[in-house]
Amino acid sequence: MFGAVILACLASILVGRIDSREFRNESRILPPHLLFGAATAAYQIEGAWNEDGKSESIWDRVTHMVPCVIANCDTGDVADDSYHQYKRDVEMMRELGLDFYRFSLSWTRILPTSFPDHINEKGVQYYNNLINEMLKYNIQPMVTIYHWDLPQKLQDLGGWTNPHIVDWFTDYSRVVFQLFGDRVKYWVTINEPREVCGQGYGMQTMAPLLNYSGYADYICAKNILLAHANAYHLYNDEFREAQGGQIGISLSAHWYEPESENEVESAEVFRQFEVGIYANPIFSKLGDFPSVVKEKVAARSQMQGFPRSRLPELTPEEIEFVKGSSDFFGLNHYTTFLTYVSKFPIQYPTFYYADIEVLPYQPDEWNSSYSKWMKVVPWGFYKVLTKIREEYNNPPVFITENGYASPRGLIDDDRIDFYRKYINAMLDAIEDGSDVRAYTAWSLMDNLEWMSGYTERFGLYEVDYESPERTRTPRKSAYVYKEMLRTRVLDYHYEPDMSLGMHIDDN
């Protein structure tokens, strides 16, 4: 690794080299076809963690651990209380003028036993109320079936490392298609499998905190791909004709840039392990896990004395089944990293990054959000979209998350600057041919940011967690986002008059 002085000089040179596109600080017309929305997830906002028949999820279990592992011992027990305040949530969507709202369903609220033997009518009523309230005002629901809150009962059986979860998830998906598919036209099967598998099963930075790196994360990856494909084919074969919707998956994809010209291969290897392991089986022409991933894991497994690769194989039948199983590429993007080669001794414990032999980092000089891992690097967004276009034959892209962390406060100029620069980069990619069809701001309002609790705020609306009503107040960024959607113009010079308050512009 480079010393601090050398690294600073190198970062400066690299930024000049790789950020060569001229930043267009000017007004730009938004494409007429492009839909705009905002997003949340069930555990992060709903609260009512054990009300009306809901059972325990893995995040309920983790946030109730003693000693606590979440920042400030925060929990989602009440969160934003959206379970009781869905009408205010829809009112915020109307104030912003959203085309759609992406939210997730709580598996344990709909199926308290984890299985379809008992459907919880109170939970179903909540989602029906939310969906119907949105549609009353022409706001389209984009529904994520699974956003990280697995039933604890299923985790006790192995969770995403148990191959039976393919059937469990398919059964759950069938129920929600039957319940809500007559009104929901945009479905996301699973949100960010890399985080589910890598952070929850490979490491201890997400529930269920298993920490079996190099084993459980790979098993999880295969099962998630098969579960997603099963749900896709179920919808395609039994529901699409009558319901007329679209269904896909949302993958997280940071951009990984080589720290020098000698590290180009390292960045590509890292991208294939982080993104390609989930994207290639679905979106590439040949399907299957990336060759470099299979080869590197197999080689290191053999040197460590394993009788077979720690990465499970996809059979030829499974490869064909998974390939093409998404109507769009759901993209969650936040930041960019530089990469460099880092060799691990063979006696080193089994570890995901040892398989890759590449590590990521971010120069201190890059602008950071309130969340230290999230540097503001808009050119990386452009490069991710370009890579998807070039590597996967330009699939339709729904940007299902893009956002910025801040501290408390209503004046969030840094967030406004982030959105303007990232949307500008997206427009560059569209002009160059990327088939981007939707953009989703993360998030509609502040929420429990997983292990960080309520310390990081991503919301266009600030939530007062000291208020029993969980009062929502629009930040300055909400006014700017609203004006952009109203005028269909990305305007760098617009300054809202917040004293006028937020109002609803129903046409």
Side-chain angles (χ1 to χ4, degrees):
M1 193 63 174
F2 295 88
V5 175
I6 296 174
L7 179 57
C9 294
L10 177 61
S12 176
I13 293 169
L14 283 168
V15 171
R17 174 175 64 83
I18 57 188
D19 194 14
S20 57
R21 297 180 63 87
E22 181 181 354
F23 180 68
R24 298 170 60 175
N25 187 359
E26 61 187 35
S27 296
R28 301 184 70 175
I29 304 298
L30 302 175
H33 75 277
L34 191 61
L35 302 175
F36 283 88
T40 60
Y43 182 74
Q44 295 178 274
I45 67 164
E46 285 182 2
W49 81 276
N50 61 352
E51 287 187 41
D52 292 340
K54 180 185 174 298
S55 59
E56 185 186 32
S57 76
I58 56 174
W59 278 98
D60 294 320
R61 176 68 60 88
V62 164
T63 56
H64 295 154
M65 287 176 65
V66 178
C68 56
V69 296
I70 307 294
N72 297 328
C73 297
D74 291 333
T75 76
D77 291 3
V78 179
D80 297 358
D81 196 32
S82 284
Y83 185 73
H84 299 109
Q85 299 201 47
Y86 70 90
K87 287 190 176 181
R88 173 57 181 142
D89 293 350
V90 175
E91 184 178 57
M92 293 188 295
M93 302 171 209
R94 297 173 63 200
E95 289 171 352
L96 292 171
L98 300 184
D99 296 312
F100 67 91
Y101 173 56
R102 179 183 174 224
F103 64 96
S104 73
L105 305 172
S106 167
W107 192 331
T108 55
R109 196 178 298 285
I110 295 171
L111 301 178
T113 68
S114 311
F115 304 107
D117 60 317
H118 172 60
I119 297 175
N120 181 23
E121 293 303 324
K122 290 288 185 68
V124 173
Q125 182 181 4
Y126 164 65
Y127 293 115
N128 276 331
N129 289 342
L130 174 60
I131 291 168
N132 293 340
E133 186 76 5
M134 290 168 58
L135 291 175
K136 186 191 304 183
Y137 301 106
N138 298 315
I139 301 165
Q140 289 296 316
M142 180 182 290
V143 174
T144 303
I145 300 173
Y146 179 76
H147 196 130
W148 301 2
D149 49 348
L150 191 72
Q152 182 60 43
K153 290 179 181 178
L154 298 187
Q155 186 56 50
D156 293 341
L157 296 174
W160 288 104
T161 61
N162 185 330
H164 290 295
I165 200 167
V166 175
D167 291 330
W168 301 338
F169 181 74
T170 305
D171 293 341
Y172 166 46
S173 298
R174 180 186 297 277
V175 169
V176 301
F177 294 151
Q178 291 171 336
L179 290 171
F180 311 119
D182 59 327
R183 289 151 293 156
V184 173
K185 304 308 173 188
Y186 300 102
W187 292 98
V188 175
T189 55
I190 296 166
N191 181 75
E192 296 186 342
R194 185 189 74 86
E195 280 67 22
V196 174
C197 298
Q199 293 186 243
Y201 289 79
M203 293 184 285
Q204 290 180 297
T205 52
M206 289 286 178
L209 311 179
L210 287 195
N211 200 29
Y212 294 135
S213 184
Y215 299 100
D217 39 8
Y218 295 141
I219 298 169
C220 171
K222 176 176 179 176
N223 289 337
I224 270 193
L225 285 168
L226 293 176
H228 154 76
N230 241 30
Y232 173 87
H233 287 292
L234 170 66
Y235 186 81
N236 197 53
D237 295 344
E238 298 185 26
F239 295 94
R240 189 190 298 273
E241 183 176 357
Q243 297 182 355
Q246 299 181 59
I247 183 168
I249 191 169
S250 283
L251 306 181
S252 63
H254 303 314
W255 179 248
Y256 301 100
E257 185 75 19
E259 71 171 4
S260 72
E261 292 182 358
N262 296 326
E263 298 282 359
V264 171
E265 183 179 350
S266 76
E268 181 59 23
V269 169
F270 203 84
R271 284 193 291 267
Q272 292 303 328
F273 267 85
E274 290 281 283
V275 183
I277 193 171
Y278 301 103
N280 275 36
I282 299 171
F283 297 101
S284 70
K285 184 177 181 180
L286 297 177
D288 202 0
F289 294 126
S291 295
V292 68
V293 176
K294 294 194 295 182
E295 292 165 3
K296 290 182 78 67
V297 178
R300 192 168 181 88
S301 298
Q302 183 180 38
M303 288 188 291
Q304 291 170 322
F306 287 91
R308 66 191 65 84
S309 176
R310 288 176 278 102
L311 176 70
E313 289 186 359
L314 289 170
T315 67
E317 294 77 17
E318 289 169 341
I319 290 170
E320 289 302 312
F321 188 71
V322 174
K323 187 169 61 176
S325 61
S326 194
D327 298 330
F328 54 84
F329 192 119
L331 170 64
N332 294 355
H333 175 82
Y334 288 92
T335 194
T336 290
F337 294 84
L338 300 183
T339 61
Y340 67 99
V341 172
S342 180
K343 300 290 186 179
F344 290 77
I346 198 62
Q347 64 269 25
Y348 195 87
T350 300
F351 185 44
Y352 171 76
Y353 291 106
D355 290 337
I356 308 175
E357 298 183 308
V358 177
L359 289 176
Y361 73 98
Q362 295 175 308
D364 293 337
E365 291 72 25
W366 287 2
N367 290 333
S368 181
S369 75
Y370 190 67
S371 183
K372 300 306 180 185
W373 63 269
M374 215 196 88
K375 303 286 188 178
V376 181
V377 193
W379 52 259
F381 193 24
Y382 170 84
K383 290 200 169 192
V384 166
L385 291 169
T386 301
K387 180 73 170 178
I388 292 170
R389 179 178 79 240
E390 294 175 349
E391 187 157 336
Y392 301 121
N393 194 30
N394 202 17
V397 174
F398 289 9
I399 296 161
T400 42
E401 289 182 26
N402 181 234
Y404 181 90
S406 71
R408 292 183 63 178
L410 297 180
I411 306 301
D412 55 345
D413 289 329
D414 287 346
R415 177 178 284 108
I416 294 168
D417 185 63
F418 172 93
Y419 276 127
R420 284 170 170 165
K421 287 179 176 178
Y422 273 70
I423 291 172
N424 183 79
M426 175 187 69
L427 295 176
D428 284 345
I430 291 173
E431 285 187 358
D432 289 350
S434 293
D435 188 9
V436 180
R437 301 189 184 183
Y439 176 88
T440 314
W442 182 272
S443 58
L444 176 64
M445 55 190 148
D446 294 338
N447 51 64
L448 183 129
E449 192 53 37
W450 308 114
M451 300 295 278
S452 298
Y454 300 106
T455 63
E456 297 178 0
R457 306 296 186 98
F458 278 85
L460 292 167
Y461 283 72
E462 181 172 84
V463 177
D464 182 359
Y465 291 104
E466 297 175 3
S467 163
E469 293 76 24
R470 296 301 195 263
T471 304
R472 292 103 152 100
T473 305
R475 290 192 167 99
K476 185 178 178 181
S477 57
Y479 290 86
V480 172
Y481 196 60
K482 171 189 176 75
E483 180 69 4
M484 184 183 71
L485 273 56
R486 186 187 71 83
T487 62
R488 303 294 299 183
V489 173
L490 176 61
D491 185 350
Y492 281 89
H493 307 292
Y494 172 70
E495 282 290 325
D497 184 352
M498 297 174 65
S499 68
L500 298 176
M502 187 71 82
H503 59 277
I504 293 171
D505 296 325
D506 278 338
N507 296 324

